[in-house]
Amino acid sequence: SDLSDFCKQDLTDSTIRQVVEAQKKNSETIDISPWTWITLYMIAHSKKANAAGSSSRWRFDSLLRSEYVDAALSYMPIFWDDANLHWLNGTDLLNIHVLDVHAAIETEYHKLIYLVSSIETGIPIIEFKKWAMVVMSRGETVDLPDRENKTHTVPQLAIMPLIDLVDHHLPMPEKPLFTDDDLQQYQEKGSHTNISYNMDLAAVVLKAKESLVSRTAVTVGYGVRSNADYLLYHGFTMPREWSDLTICTQYTMIELPLPPNLPSWKSRFLLHPYRFAVPACPNRKSTPHVLVGAARFLV
């Protein structure tokens, strides 16, 4: 990802420089996720801004002050205390998805510590989690110029000042959405704005599709997703009516536990319970194939 390459090349920060050097010297290939490079960049520049004081002109300084970041992240289950997490007891959101996010972030953090041990004292894991969730919750995948060929664009994860502060809005669908075509048409028509890269301006532009009344909030559509997704990454949920109308566009996760008497040769390839996605509304096209495929895989 080119944007993560840009963050990786910010050699003004000693931590990023050390990770890049350690990665090159290491005998085994250790892949670091694009969002991890952006996270390290955000941490480095937020520290610089704090060190420089309130007069700092860092581009995120006026938008992502630590108080604002902490307040925004407090809505996400990954940062909830035990009393609030109690409301999710027994749900897949808590038992699977929240734990998955913790595990993904911690895995990246441990890769960094393996490469540069001093990171453990320089960047506490809670700070790394905080900025990782800023990237995950405010990042937007947008077509940006390819490093190899500037005339072409490729999808990249990016955090864009101002655009990252725009709230979600899609109108309530007029009828239930059943197919991918329904979903595509609805999302294209429903969003009031469009985000794209402008080659002439060399900038990402958010455009309103129609005239907006004075003092109207500018919003974007984050896409039709499950309430679990919205809550996990953005800290809000949609009403029950919304879920009823969009449920057929969702997938549910089914987990098959590993048999206790699994042959040793097979256990080398199946280390964890087998988890797979099944469309929430069964249909002849996909559901049977997914279920049969999963069963055959285990047998």
Side-chain angles (χ1 to χ4, degrees), residues 42 44 52 72 94 115 142 148 174 180 193 213 223 232 255 285 290:
M42 299 284 283
L94 180 60
L115 288 167
V142 67
E148 304 297 321
E174 291 169 11
D180 286 342
T193 54
V213 180
L232 202 55
E255 192 172 277
K285 271 188 182 173
V290 175

Side-chain angles (χ1 to χ4, degrees), residues 29-260:
T29 305
I30 296 177
D31 289 323
I32 292 173
S33 148
W35 59 259
T36 302
W37 289 114
I38 302 173
T39 300
L40 288 175
Y41 183 89
M42 299 284 283
I43 291 170
H45 285 267
S46 67
K47 280 183 176 173
K48 278 181 194 167
N50 289 338
S54 58
S55 61
S56 165
R57 301 304 302 158
W58 182 50
R59 64 192 131 176
F60 280 98
D61 190 42
S62 59
L63 307 176
L64 287 176
R65 287 188 182 280
S66 58
E67 298 88 345
Y68 170 77
V69 171
D70 292 346
L73 294 179
S74 69
Y75 290 96
M76 294 176 195
I78 192 172
F79 296 111
W80 286 5
D81 58 20
D82 289 345
N84 282 314
L85 283 174
H86 180 75
W87 289 97
L88 298 177
N89 272 358
T91 64
D92 278 355
L93 181 61
L94 180 60
N95 297 344
I96 297 173
H97 302 299
V98 173
L99 296 181
D100 277 354
V101 174
H102 274 294
I105 295 174
E106 283 168 13
T107 299
E108 289 294 305
Y109 183 72
H110 288 300
K111 284 185 203 171
L112 294 175
I113 290 171
Y114 174 75
L115 288 167
V116 181
S117 58
S118 60
I119 284 177
E120 194 163 14
T121 49
I123 305 172
I125 189 159
I126 190 64
E127 189 183 1
F128 183 76
K129 273 190 180 172
K130 175 173 122 173
W131 287 102
M133 284 309 292
V134 168
V135 176
M136 286 184 184
S137 63
R138 299 183 172 274
E140 177 85 27
T141 300
V142 67
D143 288 331
L144 295 172
D146 186 1
R147 183 179 292 277
E148 304 297 321
N149 183 348
K150 297 290 183 189
T151 60
H152 284 76
T153 57
V154 289
Q156 296 171 57
L157 178 68
I159 293 188
M160 292 158 284
L162 295 176
I163 290 178
D164 75 295
L165 300 175
V166 177
D167 282 338
H168 167 74
H169 171 76
L170 279 173
M172 201 68 75
E174 291 169 11
K175 56 184 183 181
L177 307 177
F178 289 109
T179 66
D180 286 342
D181 287 344
D182 291 347
L183 181 62
Q184 201 64 38
Q185 286 173 19
Y186 165 72
Q187 289 190 160
E188 282 172 15
K189 290 177 185 170
S191 184
H192 300 308
T193 54
N194 189 32
I195 298 171
S196 61
Y197 182 76
N198 184 309
M199 287 276 190
D200 297 331
L201 296 173
V204 174
V205 178
L206 184 145
K207 271 187 184 172
K209 292 181 183 175
E210 66 248 7
S211 298
L212 298 176
V213 180
S214 174
R215 302 181 76 81
T216 302
V218 177
T219 59
V220 299
Y222 291 7
V224 175
R225 287 146 65 194
S226 66
N227 266 337
D229 242 22
Y230 287 139
L231 183 58
L232 202 55
Y233 295 107
H234 305 293
F236 70 86
T237 56
M238 299 292 274
R240 177 65 184 267
E241 187 188 355
W242 168 274
S243 299
D244 289 345
L245 291 167
T246 63
I247 191 75
C248 289
T249 64
Q250 311 302 331
Y251 286 78
T252 185
M253 297 302 291
I254 292 181
E255 192 172 277
L256 295 180
L258 295 178

Side-chain angles (χ1 to χ4, degrees), residues 8-22:
K8 198 194 293 189
Q9 287 171 15
D10 182 20
L11 301 181
T12 59
D13 179 61
S14 62
T15 303
I16 293 175
R17 196 167 60 242
Q18 285 175 300
V19 174
V20 170
E21 286 166 5

